Amino acid sequence: GAVVSQHPSWVICKSGTSVKIECRSLDFQATTMFWYRQFPKQSLMLMATSNEGSKATYEQGVEKDKFLINHASLTLSTLTVTSAHPEDSSFYICSATSGSLTEAFFGQGTRLTVV
Amino acid sequence: GENVEQHPSTLSVQEGDSAVIKCTYSDSASNYFPWYKQELGKGPQLIIDIRSNVGEKKDQRIAVTLNKTAKHFSLHITETQPEDSAVYFCAASPYGQNFVFGPGTRLSVLP
């Protein structure tokens, strides 16, 4: 299947700082990328959907000014957690799909710990 | 919007036995139903999927069945092995967009 690479796999940051997570599709052009958040022992909760070259669509309850999403190319989307707080600590996962695929392929996830 | 329920939340089976996980969905517009396996600390991996134009699909020890009328689909794993232990998520999606995931099933295969 297609490969989606997410970086970093884990990060620890101090409260008040910002953290950027990258999601890359390595062997296909991802017209749409999804960002999820997953708390321990829970399911994946969709945060936002981003289409290349346009603004992301955020799910209800997700602060767009806090979770900045950029999808500037067909192979890269970034999620920036701004002014991070301990409650933002979570497992963040991206997935990508394209017009020629209906499957969504997931990155390996990023564990964010805010101290 | 779509709502996906999944049962059971936990499942323990003896090695070699079969495991069945069931999901229901609410939106009749959903036509793509993937199953993902997630190991601890990793992202979900697609293991099998089914589209609404078929009722069953099989890949070695894994099979998925779909009943569109009843809006439910199931994952069947035969001859389970310890490495099958993981959390399994079902999802429903219209045309591969807006995936809605079930709450997950933690499968433990006991040696």
Side-chain angles (χ1 to χ4, degrees), chain A residues 32 34 36 38 41-44 46 49 91 93 97 102-109 111, chain B residues 32 36 38 41-46 49 51 89 95-99 101-104 106:
Chain A
T32 305
F34 305 89
Y36 296 85
Q38 186 179 35
K41 297 186 178 181
Q42 294 189 21
S43 189
L44 291 80
L46 180 65
T49 302
F91 195 52
I93 310 171
T97 186
T102 54
E103 299 91 343
F105 295 93
F106 284 80
Q108 63 268 48
R111 181 158 304 285
Chain B
Y32 175 62
Y36 292 90
Q38 187 178 28
K42 298 183 179 180
Q45 295 294 311
L46 178 69
D49 57 14
R51 290 173 173 78
F89 293 98
Y95 303 104
Q97 302 293 315
N98 300 330
F99 289 80
F101 287 83
R106 184 173 299 278

Side-chain angles (χ1 to χ4, degrees), chain A residues 71-114:
Chain A
H71 191 170
S73 78
L74 285 171
T75 59
L76 174 64
S77 176
T78 60
L79 167 67
T80 301
V81 182
T82 63
S83 186
H85 289 95
E87 56 265 31
D88 298 324
S89 298
S90 189
F91 195 52
Y92 292 88
I93 310 171
C94 71
S95 73
T97 186
S98 77
S100 63
L101 300 170
T102 54
E103 299 91 343
F105 295 93
F106 284 80
Q108 63 268 48
T110 296
R111 181 158 304 285
L112 169 63
T113 303
V114 184

Side-chain angles (χ1 to χ4, degrees), chain B residues 52-88:
Chain B
S52 59
N53 58 343
V54 298
E56 184 174 359
K57 183 177 179 180
K58 189 174 182 179
D59 182 4
Q60 299 183 338
R61 297 187 296 110
I62 297 173
V64 57
T65 59
L66 171 65
N67 183 327
K68 279 216 59 143
T69 302
K71 294 193 183 70
H72 64 71
F73 56 112
S74 300
L75 176 71
H76 303 252
I77 305 174
T78 59
E79 301 173 26
T80 53
Q81 302 167 2
E83 50 266 37
D84 293 330
S85 297
V87 179
Y88 291 81

